[in-house]
Amino acid sequence: MRVNHISERFNQVQDAISQACHRARRREEEITLIAVTKTWPAEVVQAATEVGLTDFGENKVQELIAKAPLFPENKWHMIGHLQRNKARQVMTHAQDFHALDNLRLAGTLNRLAAEAGRIFPCFIQVNVSREDSKFGITPDGVGEFVIASEEFESIKIKGLMTLASPDIRKVREEFQLLRSIRNKHERLIGTGLSMGMSGDYEIAIEEGATHIRLGSALFGVRQ
Ligand SMILES: *Cc1c(COP(=O)(O)O)cnc(C)c1O
């Protein structure tokens, strides 16, 4: 992966972000671009860091712990499903967690954060497309989850996260649904909306995304 490819792709992505913001009358500063480096080696993280990317995402703990310590200046986001026995590693290496999908995991993260004397920021993953293959709380279950997680004082719910369905015709509605669920719970959770990947981030921005997670748009097709 040559650096100039990344910088070209990054420029294109920045243009697209800026245009989507313009259409939606939003400011670019409202949006955090997370570079998803899953499957790519540390050299790619290095190149992406050099062109100015600062936020990185991994969906597997193994990859997170292999790469994050090499780039301590970057901000690391764990964006994939997490098992409780690996929660400690994630807390050590990631600053934000985007895939909180069950209360037992919330309890474990809360205990570890309390032990470490810190507050750990999490997004609740919501399965807006209701696909069986996807992790996440059902849209109807979010209210109960939010109320139950009130007791966990050492995790901070920054907002909601989703993966939209592969059917591009459904995507906008799904992002709107995530936003409306967030609005409904705005007194108890943060305003974050982690939504939008390479194929749908412009729609996500139009619908209010605060965090977009891009892999192939920045790095090409994964091997
Ligand atoms: C892989 C992945 C992405 C990025 O996917 P692209 O389509 O390559 O942009 C975003 N979010 C999650 C949770 C992922 O696993």
Side-chain angles (χ1 to χ4, degrees):
M1 187 82 223
R2 300 207 338 270
V3 178
N4 58 342
H5 284 168
I6 295 181
S7 91
E8 268 168 40
R9 289 173 188 276
F10 183 32
N11 282 337
Q12 286 163 4
V13 164
Q14 283 178 309
D15 282 347
I17 291 173
S18 135
Q19 284 165 27
C21 282
H22 185 75
R23 289 195 294 279
R25 299 176 198 286
R26 300 186 59 198
R27 287 178 299 115
E28 285 169 54
E29 304 83 69
E30 296 171 25
I31 291 145
T32 301
L33 167 57
I34 301 173
V36 179
T37 42
K38 67 186 185 196
T39 76
W40 295 105
E43 291 72 40
V44 168
V45 182
Q46 177 66 40
T49 305
E50 281 167 17
V51 303
L53 284 151
T54 54
D55 286 67
F56 288 81
E58 291 289 346
N59 73 331
K60 292 207 170 81
V61 177
Q62 247 359 79
E63 286 198 73
L64 175 73
I65 65 178
K67 289 173 236 177
L70 305 175
F71 302 94
E73 310 287 297
N74 291 336
K75 179 169 179 180
W76 288 87
H77 302 254
M78 173 63 184
I79 61 175
H81 182 70
L82 174 61
Q83 282 164 340
R84 274 179 297 136
N85 60 0
K86 294 182 179 155
R88 189 184 293 275
Q89 290 167 299
V90 165
M91 291 219 25
T92 305
H93 296 287
Q95 279 82 58
D96 280 11
F97 174 49
H98 291 244
L100 184 60
D101 60 5
N102 70 83
L103 286 170
R104 290 185 75 191
L105 176 61
T108 302
L109 290 167
N110 181 62
R111 177 173 52 77
L112 294 169
E115 274 169 27
R118 60 189 271 217
I119 304 287
F120 192 57
C122 300
F123 293 78
I124 299 170
Q125 182 171 354
V126 185
N127 185 358
V128 287
S129 60
R130 296 175 184 271
E131 288 165 87
D132 289 342
S133 59
K134 281 186 183 150
F135 291 107
I137 311 289
T138 60
D140 318 319
V142 176
E144 203 179 317
F145 191 96
V146 165
I147 290 166
S149 56
E150 280 285 276
E151 71 167 284
F152 301 129
E153 292 177 351
S154 297
I155 61 178
K156 175 182 173 207
I157 307 292
K158 277 182 91 167
L160 305 178
M161 175 274 210
T162 201
L163 284 89
S165 81
D167 182 349
I168 194 75
R169 292 168 303 176
K170 296 186 179 160
V171 163
R172 188 178 297 276
E173 237 172 62
E174 292 169 354
F175 290 152
Q176 288 169 346
L177 174 60
L178 195 73
R179 188 182 60 202
S180 75
I181 299 170
R182 180 208 57 191
N183 292 349
K184 194 168 155 192
H185 301 293
E186 66 185 358
R187 286 175 44 247
L188 296 180
I189 64 175
T191 54
L193 286 176
S194 173
M195 61 187 195
M197 314 195 338
S198 294
D200 55 24
Y201 68 97
E202 291 158 276
I203 302 173
I205 291 170
E206 290 169 11
E207 298 304 335
T210 60
H211 294 68
I212 55 174
R213 310 177 308 267
L214 305 190
S216 47
L218 291 168
F219 306 119
V221 181
R222 282 180 288 277
Q223 267 95 46

